[in-house]
Amino acid sequence: MIGQVAGVRGVAPLLPMDAVRWGAVEDCLRALMDAYGFREIRLPILERTELYARAVGEVTDIVEKEMYTFTDRSGDSLSLRPEGTAGCVRAGIEGGLFHNQAQRLWYQGPMFRHERPQKGRYRQFHQWGVEAYGMVGPAIEAEIIALGARLLAKLGVETRLLLNSLGTPQCRERYREALVRYLMAHRERLDDDSLRRLERNPLRVLDSKNPDMAALLAEAPAIADSWSAESRSHFAALQDHLAALGVAFEVAPRLVRGLDYYTHTVFEWTPHETLAQATVIAGGRYDGLVSGLGGAPTPAVGFAIGMERLVALVTRLPAPPVLDVFIMASASFQRQALVLAERLRDAGFTVETHLAGASGRSQMKRARDSGARVIVEAKDEVAIVHGGPVKDEGAMPWAEAVVRISQILGAEANIDGK
Ligand code: HAM
């Protein structure tokens, strides 16, 4: 066999130079998860297709057109997860996490949607999700929105926070009726997709990406007109909380989100209002989902970050960990270099080695590019420390190398007598 095997469209590896950026963003996220008391849950990538049909909604773009669905050898219909919330709820119910307990969970990993690939839209992409269970009312919504705002500020990402409320299921039903009346009155202006949605899930008509329908949808009734007094005060209280926290937001009356499980608050952070593929973080409250999937009624709210989109927008990256020592070795001194590297690691230093027997020049280039504080060359029974930010210390006997290098790095060495 000759020739290359092409990768799958919209599915890309993360190369080492990009992984450094991702790692720094993930470190920042992990620290924030701790700061807000969220705990990790690791979720399967494969679930039964039915889970997404029931949770995300049968008449949504995700379930109708985008899932990677197949029948396995036992005849079960399975899907690669297109999002994390449904699986998180399922795992929480099965694991008994929701019995009269408040839970704050986070997960991360690849999600799969068969969308048309373009910048910021992939078929395999990564989400970092944050979900809080067992807490009613707008305060927890404000808290997780503050978490998102803090993350974006830390990473120097400029976005706008858009906020809306879908109200209670009863408000939604009232709104559905008003919307259907309006759309029926303008039936002749609807495209085929929207006509079909009008029958099965009218709110999804608002998701239409067809520019010819934009004017019609802009005039459609707003959901705010269908809010109950409870929904109105819930949404007003959320806005008061956010103002008290100093989190800026804009109310976006037509924001409905593309998944069916939301109630009350929905929100998105986006750099551009008009580009659907630009939304970086999106989420909302979904009080009906846990009971809808067979659990005890449990209020819930959360969001998911699109990691590819977030990493692309980062302007301020937390400093990457510094490499302390880079060791280069010619072919005949590789064993000494190996031992020295291990001893320095014993002493708590970060060490990278070049053991490929390349020319001294190319090794030195790698060493300089590594940004190491100290560069050590293993040869002739001595280790020579080259400049880097630390000034050149010259040659030293092998036996003294660990102690001397530790002193140069100015750290307390923990050398176990060897
Ligand atoms: P979503 O709006 O479908 O919500 O996705 C959340 C985020 O994932 C988007 O804002 C975007 O950043 C990213 N994303 C989605 N599709 C793609 C794609 N094809 N390529 C790149 N990035 C993408 C959810 O998935 C909900 N589970 C969020 C949630 C959590 N709601 C409550 N809890």
Side-chain angles (χ1 to χ4, degrees):
M1 261 194 283
I2 46 168
Q4 293 178 355
V5 178
V8 177
R9 214 171 148 232
V11 176
L14 186 63
L15 300 176
M17 51 276 203
D18 301 324
V20 172
R21 250 173 107 73
W22 277 65
V25 172
E26 286 165 358
D27 287 348
C28 179
L29 268 160
R30 268 174 220 281
L32 276 179
M33 296 302 108
D34 290 343
Y36 283 77
F38 283 82
R39 296 195 303 166
E40 185 178 12
I41 181 165
R42 297 197 184 190
L43 299 169
I45 288 172
L46 267 185
E47 293 278 1
R48 288 178 190 282
T49 305
E50 182 198 353
L51 176 70
Y52 301 111
R54 277 173 59 185
V56 175
E58 212 124 27
V59 189
T60 55
D61 277 352
I62 295 178
V63 171
E64 279 188 331
K65 317 185 198 162
E66 296 171 359
M67 286 209 296
Y68 282 88
T69 296
F70 63 96
T71 306
D72 78 356
R73 287 164 198 270
S74 321
D76 295 324
S77 178
L78 304 182
S79 294
L80 295 181
R81 61 183 183 191
E83 60 102 52
T85 308
C88 189
V89 168
R90 191 198 57 69
I93 295 171
E94 267 189 23
L97 300 186
F98 303 142
H99 289 306
N100 303 319
Q101 293 184 50
Q103 291 285 357
R104 294 162 177 253
L105 305 174
W106 66 266
Y107 53 82
Q108 56 106 17
M111 309 287 159
F112 303 84
R113 297 184 193 176
H114 194 274
E115 296 195 78
R116 197 164 59 78
Q118 54 186 293
K119 190 172 183 305
R121 179 172 289 159
Y122 309 98
R123 290 183 173 170
Q124 176 178 312
F125 59 97
H126 295 75
Q127 284 187 346
W128 189 295
V130 171
E131 316 281 2
Y133 296 95
M135 287 169 267
V136 287
I140 181 66
E141 296 165 16
E143 189 177 37
I144 68 162
I145 289 174
L147 190 172
R150 184 182 296 275
L151 170 75
L152 295 167
K154 257 182 186 289
L155 297 175
V157 177
E158 297 235 350
T159 45
R160 301 153 60 204
L161 168 60
L162 307 179
L163 216 58
N164 196 18
S165 170
L166 303 179
T168 61
Q170 294 73 31
C171 303
R172 250 175 107 141
E173 184 49 32
R174 265 199 303 279
Y175 179 57
R176 202 182 67 87
E177 287 164 14
L179 188 65
V180 168
R181 267 198 303 279
Y182 173 82
L183 294 173
M184 288 295 271
H186 298 90
R187 247 186 117 89
E188 71 293 345
R189 290 170 65 189
L190 298 182
D191 59 18
D192 287 350
D193 214 26
S194 299
L195 281 170
R196 204 175 43 79
R197 289 176 170 213
L198 175 59
E199 301 251 302
R200 298 185 61 198
N201 191 350
L203 248 68
R204 291 277 75 78
V205 177
L206 298 174
D207 268 353
S208 170
K209 315 261 176 350
N210 181 350
D212 295 343
M213 300 228 335
L216 178 70
L217 297 181
E219 308 253 295
I223 197 156
D225 298 332
S226 305
W227 286 340
S228 62
E230 178 213 339
S231 297
R232 205 173 289 281
S233 68
H234 181 122
F235 196 44
L238 171 63
Q239 294 178 53
D240 287 347
H241 290 329
L242 291 176
L245 293 170
V247 175
F249 60 86
E250 295 166 43
V251 174
R254 283 171 210 287
L255 179 67
V256 290
R257 308 271 301 117
L259 304 91
D260 280 352
Y261 47 61
Y262 294 109
T263 49
H264 290 294
T265 307
V266 289
F267 54 89
E268 291 187 355
W269 273 275
T270 173
H272 312 285
E273 193 177 15
T274 48
L275 294 179
Q277 77 270 25
T279 300
V280 191
I281 305 180
R285 180 168 277 286
Y286 51 99
D287 290 345
L289 187 57
V290 180
S291 56
L293 291 176
T298 307
V301 54
F303 65 66
I305 303 164
M307 290 297 288
E308 282 79 3
R309 297 180 189 180
L310 176 66
V311 173
L313 290 171
V314 168
T315 59
R316 199 168 37 239
L317 210 54
V322 180
L323 181 66
D324 293 318
V325 184
F326 191 101
I327 303 180
M328 354 183 317
S330 61
S332 29
F333 292 100
Q334 293 193 344
R335 173 154 348 122
Q336 287 92 324
L338 271 175
V339 173
L340 177 60
E342 284 299 289
R343 291 290 158 266
L344 287 167
R345 291 180 186 125
D346 288 343
F349 297 113
T350 53
V351 183
E352 192 179 322
T353 56
H354 195 307
L355 301 172
S359 77
R361 256 181 74 180
S362 83
Q363 289 205 21
M364 184 55 94
K365 181 169 175 348
R366 284 286 288 275
R368 296 245 182 259
D369 289 350
S370 75
R373 294 167 64 200
V374 165
I375 300 167
V376 175
E377 200 178 348
K379 63 179 188 189
D380 295 338
E381 315 237 6
V382 290
I384 299 172
V385 181
H386 285 275
V390 176
K391 77 176 169 46
D392 200 325
E393 294 288 325
M396 64 188 69
W398 273 103
E400 290 174 18
V402 176
V403 172
R404 290 273 300 276
I405 293 167
S406 302
Q407 284 167 347
I408 291 165
L409 289 167
E412 278 282 293
N414 169 28
I415 306 152
D416 46 7
K418 287 176 210 149

